[in-house]
């Protein structure tokens, strides 16, 4: 017994030291958020709660590790101490890195890293690096040094546990903390908003919990359960005439036209141009913006059909192409990540090509990222412009990370300019797809000082000047904001050039964002997906603004319905679209069932009617995609049932190639 007590004394020095270092880490996190991020004030209560959460987690893990420490002590005491010391240092390094990640992204690192191959992940880390590695290394070393000094003082100089009163008190506190970890650990459902939860939660715990959920959620559903879910899914969508349970998404194509009434069409089939704006959330553009950085896009929206409550279906870029151009299910990590080959499917691209359209995809970046190139090639695009196709003597890559050969690619202005060399002489009707890249870390733009000056002048006209709250927020994100203003100028320049082309007057332009960018603290629980949606054309009869809710999944069925009704475009008799036609009601409402795959590739959010389910928590939505937490077990059960049905259908059709009937 004396041996065990002696081992416990030795062991206790590690969690106690980590708890004291956690105070320093929380102080660093609070200062970093307040002074070096756009989060603004950080509630002190959440910081204190977070420190308590750190202590509970450290105590719980240490108690779980104690039997192994005892065993190692009986084998070799010094080895046990060295291993535990190294594990403690590893925790400090990870916690420091995760805090810095949270400071930059405003959400903690999670299982998303397992969605990439190791080589891809390394490239993304190098490309996304925005901070000063020397500063980050200095902070980590400071924390490691603090651990070494505190441990040395407690264990060797003062030997505090040789005093039984202190030892007994610390042992009691240690056991109580470890035993109560599961009861008092931060849970999303107990917080007013997601950001406060993220501030409070221990970042290492959040990461490990996310990883566990990621792998445990990839289970196979049994055949009986799946059969019931497939039928229930079809019953949840009574407006669709489904073909069979074997292909549960296939339903009769109604080809309903909801947009044609807004246009005065000519005889020629119109060109379709879709501009997907990286990170263009409604927080930085449009009428609901916290701070709009897109004056041209805003002015274009005033002349267009625009939806103020439009949603993407994925938390990052990985899902946007499949959602917009295929209204496709998500698979486990995003449709384009399904291996060894994406299932057979229909798309706006393939259907328009069958009807004589030319399909062009333009991107200044790396199309291996998110398997963009694979998706576009499977849909037989005619032109795929990416980083590898630019003339390096004519264009300069986005500034590279110092000391690295990696770059995201070419700026948006260069992408738009280069695209004209592929489309200016084309006489076929075209589907042009643009995916921008400049509004992505590491936040570099050409002519930075000139662009920033123009941005501040533009904002000053709106009263956003030094001393105003918005201006202070802007200062914390000046480089990122400059990228948005530059990208908006690039779109303006594209339209200026397009107006000179013969095809301009017979073209429908669509602008949307792929997801929200984390420049500002989210004001609602669905804001990650809240994006602008604009349909502009010289053929429009009038501008209209719609407050009704629709999503990226509705774009393909809407465009095909319009083209079929007005130009005789041939479309399949049966289609697999997850979405339906965009809602053109002027007032705020939602008639859709909308699934989402969040940034860590989990499917845990679902919108049905006016109710949004997120992480087993129910919210009611209102105009501007505001969310209010409510308690209604009946509604929550119903939406959770729909979410589970969708997850099973999603798993079944993507794993068994049951999206469309094979040729």
């Amino acid at each position: 017994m004396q041996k065990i007590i002696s081992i416990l004394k030795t062991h206790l020095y590690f969690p106690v030291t980590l708890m004291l270092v956690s105070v320093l880490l929380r102080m660093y996190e609070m200062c970093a958020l307040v002074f070096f991020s756009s989060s603004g004030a950080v509630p002190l209560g959440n910081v204190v709660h977070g420190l308590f959460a750190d202590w509970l987690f450290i105590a719980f893990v240490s108690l779980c590790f104690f039997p192994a420490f005892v065993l190692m002590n009986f084998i070799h005491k010094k080895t046990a101490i060295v291993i535990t010391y190294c594990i403690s240092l590893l925790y400090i390094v990870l916690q420091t890195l995760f805090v810095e990640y949270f400071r930059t992204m405003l959400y903690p690192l999670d299982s998303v890293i397992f969605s990439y191959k190791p080589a891809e992940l390394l490239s993304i880390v190098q490309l996304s690096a925005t901070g000063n590695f020397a500063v980050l290394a200095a902070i980590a070393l400071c924390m490691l040094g603090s651990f070494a000094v505190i441990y040395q003082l407690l264990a060797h100089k003062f030997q505090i546990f040789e005093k039984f009163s202190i030892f007994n008190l610390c042992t009691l506190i240690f056991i109580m903390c470890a035993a109560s970890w599961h009861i008092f650990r931060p849970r999303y459902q107990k917080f007013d908003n997601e950001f406060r939860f993220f501030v409070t939660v221990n970042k290492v715990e959040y990461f490990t919990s996310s990883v566990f959920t990621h792998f445990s959620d990839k289970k196979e559903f049994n055949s009986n359960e799946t059969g019931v879910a497939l039928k229930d899914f079809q019953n949840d969508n009574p407006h669709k005439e489904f073909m069979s349970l074997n292909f549960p998404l296939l339903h009769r194509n109604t080809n309903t036209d909801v947009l044609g009434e807004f246009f005065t069409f000519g005889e020629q089939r119109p060109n379709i141009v879709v501009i997907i704006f990286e990170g263009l959330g409604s927080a930085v553009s449009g009428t609901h913006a916290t701070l709009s950085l897109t004056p041209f896009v805003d002015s274009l929206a005033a002349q267009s059909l625009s939806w103020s409550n439009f949603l993407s279906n994925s938390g990052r870029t990985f899902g946007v192409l499949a959602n917009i151009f295929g209204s496709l299910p998500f698979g486990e990590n995003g449709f384009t990540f399904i291996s060894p080959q994406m299932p057979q499917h229909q798309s706006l691209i393939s259907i328009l090509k069958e009807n004589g359209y030319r399909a062009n995809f333009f991107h200044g970046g790396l199309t291996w990222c998110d398997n963009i190139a694979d998706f576009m090639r499977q849909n037989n695009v005619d032109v795929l412009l990416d980083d590898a196709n630019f003339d390096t003597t004519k264009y300069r890559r986005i500034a590279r990370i110092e000391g690295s050969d990696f770059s995201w690619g070419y700026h948006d202005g260069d992408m738009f300019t280069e695209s004209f060399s592929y489309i200016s002489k084309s006489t076929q009707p075209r589907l042009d797809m643009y995916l921008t890249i400049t509004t992505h870390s590491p936040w570099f733009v050409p002519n930075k000082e000139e662009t920033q000056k123009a941005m501040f002048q533009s904002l000053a006209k709106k009263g956003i000047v030094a001393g105003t709250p918005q201006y202070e927020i802007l200062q914390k994100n000046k480089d990122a904001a400059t990228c948005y203003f530059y990208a908006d100028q690039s779109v303006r320049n594209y339209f200026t050039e397009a107006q000179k082309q013969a095809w301009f007057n017979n073209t429908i332009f669509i602008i949307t964002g792929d997801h929200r960018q984390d420049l500002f603290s989210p004001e609602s629980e669905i804001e990650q997906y809240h994006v602008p949606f604009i349909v502009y054309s010289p053929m429009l009869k009038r501008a209209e603004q719609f407050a009704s809710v629709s999503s990226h999944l509705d774009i393909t069925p809407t465009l095909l319905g319009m083209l079929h009704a007005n130009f005789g475009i041939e479309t399949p008799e049966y289609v697999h679209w997850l979405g339906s036609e965009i809602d053109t009601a002027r007032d705020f409402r939602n008639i859709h069932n909308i699934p989402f795959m969040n940034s860590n590739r989990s499917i845990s959010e679902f919108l049905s009617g006016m109710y949004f389910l997120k992480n087993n928590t129910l919210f009611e939505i209102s105009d501007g995609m505001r969310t209010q937490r409510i308690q209604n077990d009946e509604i929550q059960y119903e939406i959770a049932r729909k979410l589970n049905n969708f997850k099973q259908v999603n798993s079944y059709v993507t794993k068994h190639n049951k999206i469309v009937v094979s040729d």
Side-chain angles (χ1 to χ4, degrees), residues 439-557:
T439 44
H440 193 293
S441 60
W443 312 121
F444 292 128
V445 296
N447 305 317
K448 178 179 177 180
E449 292 183 4
E450 180 182 331
T451 304
Q452 270 187 5
K453 182 180 178 181
M455 176 183 69
F456 282 113
Q457 288 174 344
S458 175
L459 292 173
K461 294 177 182 178
K462 303 177 183 179
I464 301 172
V465 294
T468 60
Q470 288 175 307
Y471 187 90
E472 298 307 316
I473 293 175
L474 181 66
Q475 285 295 323
K476 293 181 180 180
N477 295 274
K478 188 163 57 176
D479 289 342
T482 304
C483 288
Y484 275 91
F485 191 79
Y486 162 82
D488 183 71
Q489 288 181 321
S490 298
V491 176
R492 180 196 297 271
N493 294 337
Y494 165 77
F495 271 87
T496 299
E497 183 61 30
Q499 286 173 332
K500 302 174 185 177
Q501 310 298 319
W503 48 262
F504 178 79
N505 288 328
N506 191 46
T507 302
I508 297 172
F509 299 89
I510 293 172
I511 298 178
T512 189
D514 58 351
H515 58 82
R516 171 191 183 271
Q517 188 60 267
D518 302 287
L519 296 185
F520 311 110
S521 299
E523 296 181 1
S524 82
E525 299 304 303
I526 201 171
E527 190 172 317
Q528 181 180 20
Y529 308 104
H530 190 191
V531 296
F533 184 71
I534 299 165
V535 178
Y536 170 80
S537 176
M539 294 179 286
L540 278 175
K541 296 176 182 177
R542 62 189 181 276
E544 292 276 1
Q545 283 72 49
F546 307 96
S548 51
V549 179
S550 295
S551 79
H552 282 164
L553 295 174
D554 303 318
I555 295 175
T556 281

Side-chain angles (χ1 to χ4, degrees), residues 218 328-338 343 578 597 601-603 646-647 649-655 659:
K218 305 304 181 187
L328 283 156
F330 307 149
E332 288 189 351
N333 297 304
F335 184 83
T336 61
F337 286 84
I338 299 174
L578 279 179
M597 175 172 271
R601 315 301 173 89
S602 68
I603 304 172
F646 170 75
K647 289 173 69 173
V649 170
N650 173 71
S651 176
Y652 173 76
V653 299
T654 54
K655 288 183 177 179
I659 297 176

Side-chain angles (χ1 to χ4, degrees), residues 363-368 385-388 390 408-410 415 435 437:
H363 182 48
L366 310 166
T367 53
W368 57 258
L385 173 70
D386 65 2
D387 172 80
F390 281 76
W408 275 126
Y410 294 87
M415 173 194 67
L435 178 60
I437 192 63

Side-chain angles (χ1 to χ4, degrees), residues 342-385:
M342 285 170 252
Q344 289 182 288
H345 60 275
Q346 302 158 338
S347 73
L348 177 68
I349 306 168
S350 61
I351 292 172
L352 289 187
K353 279 188 63 64
E354 291 170 0
N355 282 271
Y357 272 70
R358 182 176 177 83
N360 305 313
F361 179 76
F362 304 111
H363 182 48
L366 310 166
T367 53
W368 57 258
C369 189
D370 295 328
N371 291 335
I372 291 172
D374 290 347
F375 179 76
M376 287 298 164
R377 290 188 182 113
Q378 188 163 337
N379 282 278
N380 299 313
V381 295
D382 296 287
V383 171
L384 195 158
L385 173 70

Side-chain angles (χ1 to χ4, degrees), residues 223-273:
S223 57
N224 291 334
E225 184 182 1
T226 298
V228 173
L230 302 187
K231 184 65 175 177
D232 283 352
F233 171 84
Q234 293 185 346
N235 290 335
D236 291 337
N237 296 273
H239 59 288
K240 294 181 178 180
E241 183 185 338
F242 290 97
M243 186 179 82
S244 71
L245 281 182
N246 195 32
F247 292 87
L249 292 179
L250 277 181
H251 58 278
R252 189 175 297 278
N253 187 6
T254 60
N255 278 313
T256 303
D257 177 22
V258 297
L259 293 186
E261 64 175 290
F262 299 102
F263 291 87
T264 300
F265 289 119
E267 295 182 0
Q268 292 183 324
R269 294 176 176 182
N271 305 301
I272 307 293
V273 175

